[in-house]
Amino acid sequence: MKIGNLDLGEKPVLLAPMEDVTDASFRGICREQGADMVYTEFIPSEGLVRDARKAFDKLKTTDGEAPVGIQIYGSDPDAMVRAAQMADSASELVGGHGCDVIDINFGCPVSKIAGRGAGSGMMKYPDKMVMITERIVKAVSKPVTVKTRLGWDEDSKIIVELAERLQDAGISALTVHGRTRCQMYKGEADWTLIGKIKENPRMRIPIIGNGDINSAVKAAQAFDRYGVDGIMVGRASFGRPWIFREIKHFLATGEELPPPDVRQRVRLAERQLRLSLDLKGPRTGVLEMRRHLSCYFKGLPDFKETRMRLVTEDNSEEVFNILEFISSKWGDTPIMNSDSVYGL
């Protein structure tokens, strides 16, 4: 599958952009574990235009996570275009790798974003969505992609027609989450309309399916049943970055890998913590790892007290000590194969 000139190989598996999850350290670990491409947390276009520090910091990526897409969202066309240009020039603005793809978020369903007409709120305004997309494509040099949903609600599933229009606006790939905005993350994702996009003879760009991919078997079924060019894994990767290795192995061999044991999870958590410390410094590096660390060990028995220590400790050396304690105490304990912290 190619996005512009970027060749991701056959049946690529991508890490979805997730706020407060897909920071640089997690992206690097997911690439190490087999993700073919990763995406930043979604970045507010108006925050970039105002030079807001938090938004600006999210532009920075590293060579170790490439290829990487920078995702932006917003509802103001001028701000979206300017933010896309900043993403296009990220390596010059903030250093690091920059981006290989600029992705437009037309899919986030949370009220504070969709309620302002951004994210999946744009599904109510398809003409504006297409206009913004076309302007961004013309304003940048990198390939532009879109991530969106089936529609606003059950009565307005417009994605099959909209996919054509977005393709005609010049995007290089389209990712579709198999739910409407009103579904949020409830119920099962419906992939039938994603399959219909692929069946449309007018569609030439890659179609990437997203929603409920929480096992290697489901990943293979998505490719086989719906003919998608790639799949995107979101919530099931949180606390379980090895899902990419499991999927890639199953696609190649038809065999399921056993889940990593406690000691292997500790080593992986230690690597991510070191990455976080290197990228963000001792205090922020520890604080922003808290959301990840306890999730690595979901399913361990009698773990509540140790989990509390993991998510409250400020000193990095002490966090490493806690991880070693986990390895020594639970190293031989079978761990429940939890799909993710979200219980997908």
Side-chain angles (χ1 to χ4, degrees):
M1 184 186 93
K2 285 188 174 182
I3 298 179
N5 293 323
L6 179 64
D7 192 343
L8 298 177
E10 186 178 358
K11 295 184 177 180
V13 185
L14 290 65
L15 171 66
M18 291 176 283
E19 181 69 0
D20 294 329
V21 176
T22 55
D23 62 3
S25 64
F26 187 66
R27 297 194 302 263
I29 289 295
C30 289
R31 283 285 288 133
E32 175 191 310
Q33 291 294 304
D36 293 293
M37 185 172 175
V38 298
Y39 289 81
T40 64
E41 302 168 78
F42 35 91
I43 307 174
S45 57
E46 293 186 2
L48 283 179
V49 171
R50 295 195 310 268
D51 291 333
R53 176 65 182 273
K54 187 175 180 181
F56 211 71
D57 286 348
K58 290 180 181 179
L59 282 177
K60 190 166 186 177
T61 63
T62 66
D63 291 337
E65 62 192 272
V68 58
I70 290 179
Q71 191 186 72
I72 60 172
Y73 75 90
S75 60
D76 178 80
D78 292 335
M80 285 288 283
V81 170
R82 179 60 187 139
Q85 291 171 329
M86 294 172 74
D88 198 25
S89 304
S91 60
E92 289 81 14
L93 290 174
V94 296
H97 173 76
C99 74
D100 300 280
V101 168
I102 297 165
D103 191 63
I104 308 173
N105 181 330
F106 289 141
C108 179
V110 300
S111 296
K112 68 179 182 179
I113 292 175
R116 300 200 309 263
S120 60
M122 197 67 72
M123 299 299 288
K124 287 185 171 182
Y125 313 102
D127 291 344
K128 184 177 181 181
M129 181 191 297
V130 172
M131 178 269 289
I132 289 174
T133 302
E134 187 170 22
R135 286 188 58 185
I136 288 174
V137 169
K138 291 177 178 178
V140 300
S141 62
K142 302 288 194 328
V144 176
T145 60
V146 162
K147 186 173 189 290
T148 190
R149 291 190 165 222
L150 303 179
W152 177 260
D153 57 22
E154 192 68 22
D155 296 324
S156 59
K157 293 182 178 180
I158 60 174
I159 189 58
V160 176
E161 176 189 355
L162 180 61
E164 281 195 36
R165 297 184 64 189
L166 290 169
Q167 174 181 259
D168 293 345
I171 64 171
S172 297
L174 174 66
T175 300
V176 180
H177 182 106
R179 290 181 173 89
T180 65
R181 186 272 162 182
C182 289
Q183 283 182 274
M184 301 292 286
Y185 295 101
K186 297 176 182 177
E188 291 187 6
D190 179 3
W191 282 63
T192 55
L193 291 182
I194 302 175
K196 288 186 180 298
I197 298 170
K198 279 301 299 178
E199 293 170 3
N200 183 347
R202 283 205 69 242
M203 296 303 296
R204 305 177 303 277
I205 60 173
I207 302 300
I208 302 160
N210 175 225
D212 294 353
I213 300 296
N214 56 19
S215 71
V217 172
K218 281 193 175 182
Q221 290 172 343
F223 281 114
D224 294 341
R225 292 179 181 176
Y226 303 103
V228 291
D229 300 285
I231 59 171
M232 185 173 281
V233 179
R235 295 175 297 157
S237 67
F238 188 22
R240 190 185 165 198
W242 51 85
I243 190 174
F244 296 100
R245 178 168 52 87
E246 293 173 341
I247 291 173
K248 299 294 284 187
H249 182 82
F250 187 82
L251 292 176
T253 68
E255 299 175 352
E256 292 187 70
L257 285 174
D261 60 29
V262 173
R263 291 189 180 93
Q264 290 170 320
R265 296 178 191 215
V266 166
R267 299 286 89 83
L268 195 60
E270 288 174 339
R271 288 204 297 279
Q272 187 178 346
L273 177 56
R274 289 190 187 97
L275 274 174
S276 186
L277 294 171
D278 289 344
L279 292 166
K280 299 177 180 178
R283 177 168 175 77
T284 304
V286 169
L287 293 178
E288 296 196 4
M289 269 298 294
R290 287 176 173 175
R291 65 178 70 99
H292 294 277
L293 282 174
S294 65
C295 300
Y296 271 97
F297 308 105
K298 187 183 179 190
L300 270 182
D302 304 316
F303 192 64
K304 182 177 180 180
E305 181 180 342
T306 304
R307 177 180 287 111
M308 287 303 298
R309 291 174 62 201
L310 270 179
V311 300
T312 56
E313 179 56 56
D314 293 337
N315 183 277
S316 61
E317 288 305 315
E318 187 56 32
V319 174
F320 282 115
N321 290 337
I322 296 170
L323 289 170
E324 286 306 313
F325 169 74
I326 293 169
S327 181
S328 62
K329 180 173 181 177
W330 284 281
D332 297 318
T333 305
I335 189 168
M336 184 187 304
N337 189 12
S338 174
D339 286 330
S340 79
V341 67
Y342 291 91
L344 289 173

